[in-house]
Amino acid sequence: MLNRLEHNSYFEDFSNKSSADYYDLEIPSKDLFDKTYAFSAWKQYLVSTDNYFLRRTILGPSSHRCLVKCHDGKIRNMIMLGGNSYFEMNNHPEVKKAAVEAVSKYGTGSGSAPLLAGTLEVHRELERKLAEFKSCEAAMIFPSGFQTNYTLINGLLRSQDAVINDILNHASIIEGCKGVQAKFGTYVDFYAHNNVKSLRRKLEIAKNKCTGGQLVICDGVFSMDGDIAPLPEICALAREYGAKVAVDEAHATGILGATGRGTCEHFSMEGQVDLVVGTFSKTFGVVGGFIAGKQEVIDYLRVYGPGYMFSTAMSPVDAAAVLKSLDLLEQDSTYRRQLWENTYYLHKELLGLGFDINGTETPIIPVKIPNDKAWAITYDLQKRNIFVNPVLYPAVSKNRARLRISLMSTLTREELDQSLYALESVGKKFGVI
Ligand SMILES: Cc1ncc(COP(=O)(O)O)c(C=O)c1O
């Protein structure tokens, strides 16, 4: 084992290293923990030079304005441009009330896996409402969105099957694919982002290689880029090849479509996509995920999906909170209208200032910045009380760094203008615009 000082030798000149250097670093050692000591030295360097932004501590609810304890020791009253709770349902009085009532009625946890003693009345009610909301026959729910994608893929695909991904799919889908590939030898491939010609090529290759079924899977709204999948073309092509389609609606549910039912509603394709996946962590301001589809497929996944059978059911408190959020969003379109007003305003103003926002179509706004200035830009914005996350490798590919802005319906025009003023000043200072 190396002593702690020796670990610094892996990063002799910290200032020349990027996130990719430390993420891809292989440290030859027989001691499993040696790499953690080397990372720790790198992290300490980043903190001491104001280049570290992971796990800043939010004091109180994650709201459009929050008190944040930053790594430089200061507590700041910041404008939040980095959360995913699009409608601030996490802090809505009626959602909180529903959660408190659920604690009184059901207690805190569900006590068991759903197939055994963990299915409570409130879970069944949520599944029923979600199936209806997504125009599907049935739905099943999970304690996390990550677990949802993992379970769908590992429950449905076997050795002769193929799964074809958009290259920019969320990490939970990619990890699910790696798992099923390792376990069953399932064929896994990727098509160029939102590129239907590339998808056709990949479906053709899979048809020749595999004797089983095919699944095409994509985000509805892409989590790092904010653009929308061309679902009608994808579904038409999949039909030609006898493939099924799954769409991950994490960032589309509640947001896209005239009544917020997601990408399928946006394209007038409700009930026409084989599998619809979603999360409760964003629009609904809670945590968890769901799969909606045909009754037989859901019944099968409950038994063959590893993350359903072998994991405790989501908390009844979370389920009750999601039900209330869903109710509010269905009853009142004001939430969605405000979010889109904020979205169109910021798109227009950022483009006017000369920022590259990569053709986003939604409240997820990737502001392109140079890789080597990403942390300095983020710190400058932090000092101006703007909370925004820099996104670097491995969350996006190397040299595609960005500030990932995600908007809330509750942000006021003054807060947006204050953010724009800060972004303009910092953009000019660092030569981005
Ligand atoms: C597209 C997409 N799918 C799935 C997930 C995972 O959801 P969760 O964070 O609720 O586990 C995320 C979360 O960031 C996501 O953006």
Side-chain angles (χ1 to χ4, degrees):
M1 184 176 140
L2 306 167
N3 70 44
R4 290 199 174 200
L5 283 177
E6 281 172 311
H7 295 108
N8 289 348
S9 65
Y10 287 103
F11 298 105
E12 268 155 16
D13 182 0
F14 286 110
S15 60
N16 279 337
K17 298 285 188 260
S18 71
S19 65
D21 291 315
Y22 79 73
Y23 210 81
D24 288 344
L25 186 72
E26 287 276 341
I27 295 176
S29 169
K30 283 204 177 303
D31 187 313
L32 272 181
F33 286 179
D34 270 341
K35 55 182 159 306
T36 71
Y37 307 135
F39 168 73
S40 177
W42 162 253
K43 180 183 160 189
Q44 279 163 35
Y45 166 77
L46 292 178
V47 171
S48 69
T49 53
D50 296 321
N51 283 313
Y52 194 75
F53 303 96
L54 303 178
R55 280 165 51 86
R56 285 176 274 182
T57 310
I58 316 278
L59 309 172
S62 181
S63 173
H64 60 116
R65 220 175 228 290
C66 343
L67 280 186
V68 184
K69 189 165 179 215
C70 301
H71 293 300
D72 59 7
K74 296 202 168 63
I75 293 178
R76 297 185 165 88
N77 181 355
M78 299 181 84
I79 296 174
M80 175 53 76
L81 300 182
N84 290 314
S85 185
Y86 293 107
F87 304 104
E88 221 181 303
M89 286 294 172
N90 57 309
N91 199 26
H92 193 292
E94 287 191 49
V95 176
K96 291 197 279 193
K97 183 162 167 266
V100 170
E101 284 169 5
V103 170
S104 315
K105 184 167 177 186
Y106 296 104
T108 51
S110 55
S112 174
L115 289 180
L116 305 177
T119 295
L120 279 64
E121 208 184 352
V122 66
H123 295 135
R124 285 199 181 270
E125 176 59 6
L126 178 55
E127 289 181 341
R128 194 191 60 73
K129 286 274 303 188
L130 284 165
E132 194 181 286
F133 187 64
K134 289 293 184 182
S135 306
C136 292
E137 288 174 15
M140 63 196 291
I141 54 176
F142 296 84
S144 105
F146 191 100
Q147 186 180 351
T148 306
N149 275 324
Y150 187 90
T151 302
L152 167 68
I153 292 159
N154 283 268
L156 199 58
L157 295 151
R158 290 297 175 264
S159 65
Q160 292 307 319
D161 299 333
V163 51
I164 319 288
N165 284 273
D166 187 293
I167 188 90
L168 294 188
N169 274 351
H170 186 258
S172 54
I173 301 177
I174 309 293
E175 289 300 317
C177 289
K178 285 185 198 161
V180 84
Q181 188 176 39
K183 214 170 0 165
F184 297 112
T186 303
Y187 179 76
V188 177
D189 207 351
F190 299 86
Y191 61 94
H193 178 52
N194 275 350
N195 184 326
V196 185
K197 276 194 188 145
S198 166
L199 173 59
R200 180 185 286 284
R201 279 196 297 279
K202 299 300 182 155
L203 281 165
E204 194 62 36
I205 294 170
K207 189 178 84 179
N208 294 327
K209 277 190 189 264
C210 308
T211 54
Q214 298 190 17
L215 177 70
V216 178
I217 188 162
C218 62
D219 290 11
V221 170
F222 285 85
S223 59
M224 291 296 147
D225 290 75
D227 50 354
I228 302 172
L231 209 50
E233 289 86 349
I234 289 173
C235 288
L237 197 50
R239 219 170 298 125
E240 237 184 85
Y241 282 83
K244 306 293 188 222
V245 175
V247 61
D248 180 339
E249 293 285 75
H251 297 280
T253 297
I255 296 166
L256 288 191
T259 61
R261 285 169 159 73
T263 315
C264 303
E265 187 184 22
H266 176 76
F267 287 115
S268 305
M269 294 180 70
E270 282 180 278
Q272 294 172 47
V273 178
D274 301 295
L275 288 155
V276 180
V277 177
T279 63
F280 303 134
S281 49
K282 296 152 175 71
T283 301
F284 300 107
V286 191
V287 70
F290 69 90
I291 305 172
K294 276 197 165 133
Q295 185 70 57
E296 293 87 339
V297 180
I298 299 301
D299 287 347
Y300 179 90
L301 285 173
R302 288 191 200 280
V303 177
Y304 289 88
Y308 193 78
M309 182 181 252
F310 299 114
S311 185
T312 296
M314 85 184 281
S315 123
V317 183
D318 291 344
V322 175
L323 267 170
K324 180 49 78 180
S325 292
L326 184 52
D327 245 23
L328 292 167
L329 288 165
E330 275 200 300
Q331 280 164 24
D332 189 351
S333 59
T334 316
Y335 299 104
R336 210 165 32 259
R337 188 174 45 71
Q338 282 171 344
L339 181 65
W340 280 106
E341 271 175 24
N342 284 351
T343 300
Y344 291 135
Y345 181 67
L346 218 68
H347 286 181
K348 180 168 78 61
E349 295 298 320
L350 286 170
L351 286 171
L353 289 171
F355 284 105
D356 177 357
I357 56 171
N358 206 34
T360 177
E361 299 165 80
T362 65
I364 298 173
I365 308 178
V367 179
K368 296 288 198 61
I369 48 172
N371 247 51
D372 58 345
K373 293 181 183 159
W375 288 326
I377 289 173
T378 308
Y379 188 58
D380 213 303
L381 286 167
Q382 178 174 286
K383 284 193 293 184
R384 295 166 196 261
N385 296 329
I386 308 297
F387 189 116
V388 62
N389 295 306
V391 181
L392 293 131
Y393 181 81
V396 291
S397 49
K398 292 171 189 165
N399 291 317
R400 296 202 64 217
R402 68 208 52 194
L403 297 171
R404 180 185 180 276
I405 293 178
S406 42
L407 293 175
M408 286 178 170
S409 58
T410 43
L411 284 159
T412 63
R413 185 55 64 91
E414 292 70 36
E415 286 163 345
L416 292 179
D417 285 339
Q418 208 176 314
S419 307
L420 283 162
Y421 180 73
L423 283 160
E424 180 182 10
S425 311
V426 173
K428 283 183 177 152
K429 178 171 166 188
F430 289 91
V432 180
I433 51 172

